[in-house]
Amino acid sequence: MTKDSAGEPRKTDVRVSLIGGVSLRVARDVRGQVHGLRLGGVQDEGPSEPGGPTVRIDAWGLLGGVTVRRA
């Protein structure tokens, strides 16, 4: 875990796949920021509790989307 420019906790997760989606399960208070190039789109309903850390997801691939689910 590192800190961002505002001093908030932050973690970076890198995912690479040519065919198939990327799925990530995080805690309820975690904010997900998805970056990279995917042709399938991003599905993330956002954190259900305020005040959590941020996870940056770098997702690279051709087919399939990125899904962020809360535990």
Side-chain angles (χ1 to χ4, degrees), residues 4-60:
D4 65 9
S5 60
E8 297 292 322
R10 175 185 224 159
K11 180 184 184 305
T12 300
D13 190 17
V14 178
R15 303 286 175 117
V16 178
S17 71
L18 293 177
I19 298 173
V22 172
S23 184
L24 185 67
R25 181 170 290 215
V26 297
R28 286 194 239 177
D29 64 341
V30 171
R31 242 179 333 220
Q33 294 179 341
V34 180
H35 300 270
L37 177 65
R38 309 256 342 148
L39 298 180
V42 174
Q43 182 179 21
D44 180 9
E45 68 274 356
S48 58
E49 296 177 6
T54 298
V55 173
R56 177 186 167 116
I57 303 148
D58 291 329
W60 302 93

